[in-house]
Amino acid sequence: MNSDKQFLSVFGCFSDYCIISPLCRKSLFLIAQIHSCQEVHFKLHVYCFPVQVEKYLELFHLSQEKLKEVSARLKRDLIRGLGKHSHHRAAVKMLPTFVRATPDGTENGDYLALDLGGTNFRVLHVRVVEEQQRVLKMDSQICAIPQEIMLGTGEQLFDHIAACLSEFLDSQDLKGKTLPLGFTFSFPCEQKEIDKSILIRWTKGFNCSGVEGRDVVQLLKEAIHRRGDYDIGSVAMVNDTVGTMMSCGYRDQSCEIGMIIGTGTNACYMEEMKNVKRVEGEAGRMCINTEWGGFGDDGSLRDIQTEFDVVVDQTSINPGVHTFEKMISGMYLGEIVRLLLVRLTEDKLLFNGQTSEALLTPGSFETKFISEIEEEDTGLENGQNILTKLGVKCDPVDVRVVRLVCDTISSRSARLCAAALGTIANRIRVNRGLDHLKTTVGVDGTVYRKHPNFSEELQDTVRLLVPKCSITFLVSEDGSGKGAAMVTAVAQRLALQSSMLT
């Protein structure tokens, strides 16, 4: 019996009432898989409740036309962010990175990478091998940053970093060499040049005095100079999204977009210099860090924000900020699902109307649960275990509806991300006057890597939205480490080429 006939035979006269959308059909068919056609005693409200569930799920369904509208809005915001006089009020900041080229495959040599973005930082030794077209992580070391240093002076912080870097160089027998360094510094900065970045404000629990408003590269160099037992070569400041693009760019020279979909989300791409109005010069290209997580902060996405998105925003540590990120990234997806499950339970559509203390606790439904519940073979069993641990009593119908909720939320995330990525790819195509663009996206992040369906849905949606762009997706290998080294390697190559021309 095919699915349509099974659907009709199980639901009989209710089918005309329930067949209001593909999502509703999916809801009902999930129940049809559990309850045989002979179970005519199955309660009327259980047959019909998917229609009420659908009332909520429809809020998250975005048609192809709506996604094209979202893409058009982002396109306007990209242009506004690039403008010399409009960027300061743009929701999408479009920050110049001063990375002026992607790898061409000729880079080689040894580099250091320093990755500072939390209570630990990493030091890496990276070797770029031209003959093998490979970026090798030779070794790395993780160093803790004690609380007293996080809250102390800037001099103490950078002295600590310089001391850990010294220990690492000793362990690698690199003290006698002067190696270039790629510096990933994951705090809000205004980048002035590839080797000059001004800290705007501390986040993530740091509050070191004397650093805000200062050039962090200069502070690092001063700390190394105070030690006097080693030196470093040129320094390149790196955003983690740029690092992702550059680490993939050495393997695939057509990689000109970087994208992260994990705890947060962001993207960068190679823009024509003539369009980067905030930086002098018209020739060539520059990588732009879009900071697309802020898309919608001016209210432009209000029509697709649901009441659940609004609650997530209002209860976050930064209300009104990073609107787009809160609709699609890993920090927030689990909470959107939790809020929706609570509402369905309050409406007596799930768990016999009985919530639990855990389910009512913000943050209790982790985003990784979505991935586990959507696993093709083990998802229902995983869902049963997760819901049991959350203290709710559920039957097989409940588990399948929860799975449908997870699928709906993750699907919206993938489709919105696809709309944004398609906007960037199409911009590159139009910028270059091409009928068809073939490009590669370097991508990283736990949502993209771990969710069983996310990458496929994102790629399928991009193909629908921008048929004139053929996009290959390449998962990054340690973008914040290897990518930082590649930025430095490319900067060195360009500097050498420039000196040969003068």
Side-chain angles (χ1 to χ4, degrees), residues 5-286:
K5 288 181 180 176
Q6 186 172 355
F7 179 89
L8 292 171
S9 66
V10 173
F11 294 101
C13 63
F14 302 115
S15 62
D16 291 336
Y17 172 62
C18 296
I19 193 167
I20 57 173
S21 79
L23 274 176
C24 181
R25 288 177 62 81
K26 187 174 181 180
S27 305
L28 291 166
F29 185 64
L30 287 173
I31 297 175
Q33 290 176 304
I34 303 172
H35 299 280
S36 70
C37 302
Q38 286 73 36
E39 288 180 320
V40 293
H41 59 277
F42 197 51
K43 292 183 180 178
L44 176 62
H45 76 274
V46 177
Y47 274 140
C48 293
F49 87 76
V51 178
Q52 297 163 281
V53 172
E54 170 67 8
K55 178 183 69 174
Y56 292 109
L57 299 189
E58 273 192 326
L59 300 173
F60 297 92
H61 179 67
L62 300 174
S63 67
Q64 193 170 326
E65 286 308 308
K66 178 58 72 172
L67 291 172
K68 287 179 178 178
E69 283 181 36
V70 170
S71 182
R73 295 172 203 172
L74 179 58
K75 178 184 174 182
R76 288 194 296 269
D77 280 3
L78 299 184
I79 295 169
R80 189 176 295 128
L82 289 169
K84 187 172 184 177
H85 303 294
S86 56
H87 73 86
H88 62 280
R89 62 178 183 274
V92 182
K93 293 302 180 186
M94 305 295 284
L95 304 175
T97 67
F98 296 89
V99 173
R100 296 177 184 268
T102 53
D104 70 357
T106 65
E107 295 81 7
N108 64 82
D110 285 74
Y111 301 87
L112 296 172
L114 185 62
D115 183 6
L116 175 62
T119 54
N120 295 316
F121 71 92
R122 286 195 310 159
V123 186
L124 303 94
H125 172 208
V126 176
R127 178 165 294 161
V128 182
V129 186
E130 181 182 356
E131 295 80 12
Q132 301 176 26
Q133 291 281 286
R134 295 179 67 193
V135 185
L136 307 175
K137 184 173 73 175
M138 306 304 292
D139 210 343
S140 65
Q141 179 178 316
I142 296 176
C143 305
I145 304 179
Q147 181 79 5
E148 60 268 22
I149 289 180
M150 292 173 64
L151 302 175
T153 66
E155 189 170 298
Q156 288 173 320
L157 172 66
F158 284 96
D159 281 347
H160 178 64
I161 293 170
C164 293
L165 185 52
S166 176
E167 290 176 15
F168 179 73
L169 292 173
D170 275 331
S171 71
Q172 300 296 301
D173 198 24
L174 294 171
K175 262 289 174 65
K177 298 183 179 180
T178 302
L179 299 181
L181 182 141
F183 191 4
T184 304
F185 187 75
S186 300
F187 298 91
C189 290
E190 182 182 2
Q191 195 146 345
K192 299 292 190 180
E193 289 291 344
I194 191 77
D195 60 351
K196 185 176 183 181
S197 193
I198 310 299
L199 177 66
I200 297 171
R201 64 181 178 278
W202 284 115
T203 57
K204 306 176 187 179
F206 281 75
N207 194 22
C208 301
S209 61
V211 184
E212 291 182 354
R214 301 278 304 279
D215 176 12
V216 295
V217 174
Q218 187 60 35
L219 293 174
L220 175 64
K221 288 182 173 179
E222 289 173 0
I224 291 170
H225 182 72
R226 279 194 295 272
R227 288 190 61 84
D229 61 337
Y230 68 94
D231 201 3
I232 56 172
S234 59
V235 177
M237 290 296 296
V238 186
N239 169 274
D240 56 356
T241 312
V242 179
T244 296
M245 180 187 76
M246 297 295 274
S247 68
C248 293
Y250 196 64
R251 289 188 284 157
D252 181 347
Q253 272 85 63
S254 65
C255 182
E256 294 186 282
I257 303 173
M259 180 173 67
I260 291 178
I261 317 159
T263 305
T265 185
N266 194 12
C268 67
Y269 73 102
M270 297 302 294
E271 175 63 80
E272 306 302 311
M273 273 297 297
K274 64 184 180 183
N275 297 326
V276 186
K277 304 299 185 184
R278 298 159 63 183
V279 179
E280 290 186 10
E282 296 253 321
R285 294 169 183 152
M286 179 181 287

Side-chain angles (χ1 to χ4, degrees), residues 189-437:
C189 290
E190 182 182 2
Q191 195 146 345
K192 299 292 190 180
E193 289 291 344
I194 191 77
D195 60 351
K196 185 176 183 181
S197 193
I198 310 299
L199 177 66
I200 297 171
R201 64 181 178 278
W202 284 115
T203 57
K204 306 176 187 179
F206 281 75
N207 194 22
C208 301
S209 61
V211 184
E212 291 182 354
R214 301 278 304 279
D215 176 12
V216 295
V217 174
Q218 187 60 35
L219 293 174
L220 175 64
K221 288 182 173 179
E222 289 173 0
I224 291 170
H225 182 72
R226 279 194 295 272
R227 288 190 61 84
D229 61 337
Y230 68 94
D231 201 3
I232 56 172
S234 59
V235 177
M237 290 296 296
V238 186
N239 169 274
D240 56 356
T241 312
V242 179
T244 296
M245 180 187 76
M246 297 295 274
S247 68
C248 293
Y250 196 64
R251 289 188 284 157
D252 181 347
Q253 272 85 63
S254 65
C255 182
E256 294 186 282
I257 303 173
M259 180 173 67
I260 291 178
I261 317 159
T263 305
T265 185
N266 194 12
C268 67
Y269 73 102
M270 297 302 294
E271 175 63 80
E272 306 302 311
M273 273 297 297
K274 64 184 180 183
N275 297 326
V276 186
K277 304 299 185 184
R278 298 159 63 183
V279 179
E280 290 186 10
E282 296 253 321
R285 294 169 183 152
M286 179 181 287
C287 181
I288 296 296
N289 167 22
T290 66
E291 291 293 339
W292 76 10
F295 179 34
D297 287 358
D298 57 358
S300 64
L301 296 179
R302 200 166 287 137
D303 61 321
I304 64 169
Q305 278 182 288
T306 69
E307 59 183 286
F308 307 100
D309 295 310
V310 172
V311 172
V312 165
D313 176 50
Q314 291 175 344
T315 56
S316 69
I317 60 172
N318 54 349
V321 177
H322 283 179
T323 301
F324 189 61
E325 181 169 279
K326 287 170 183 172
M327 298 173 79
I328 73 172
S329 78
M331 181 172 281
Y332 308 99
L333 292 180
E335 184 63 6
I336 297 172
V337 169
R338 187 193 70 83
L339 290 168
L340 186 46
L341 296 183
V342 169
R343 174 61 64 82
L344 293 174
T345 308
E346 290 172 345
D347 288 357
K348 297 185 171 31
L349 301 174
L350 271 179
F351 315 136
N352 283 321
Q354 300 297 310
T355 59
S356 67
E357 185 178 348
L359 187 63
L360 293 172
T361 303
S364 62
F365 196 97
E366 300 175 42
T367 295
K368 69 176 182 179
F369 294 166
I370 298 176
S371 298
E372 292 168 5
I373 290 170
E374 288 194 63
E375 284 290 348
E376 184 175 355
D377 297 326
T378 59
L380 295 177
E381 182 182 349
N382 294 339
Q384 181 75 51
N385 294 335
I386 288 165
L387 293 170
T388 299
K389 288 177 182 177
L390 287 172
V392 292
K393 294 181 179 179
C394 55
D395 61 26
V397 176
D398 290 326
V399 178
R400 288 177 182 268
V401 172
V402 170
R403 188 176 187 175
L404 183 63
V405 169
C406 291
D407 174 68
T408 301
I409 303 306
S410 62
S411 176
R412 183 187 67 160
S413 171
R415 290 168 67 81
L416 280 173
C417 193
L421 178 60
T423 307
I424 288 177
N426 208 47
R427 177 168 179 80
I428 294 173
R429 183 187 68 81
V430 173
N431 279 347
R432 299 179 189 177
L434 300 174
D435 291 329
H436 192 91
L437 173 71

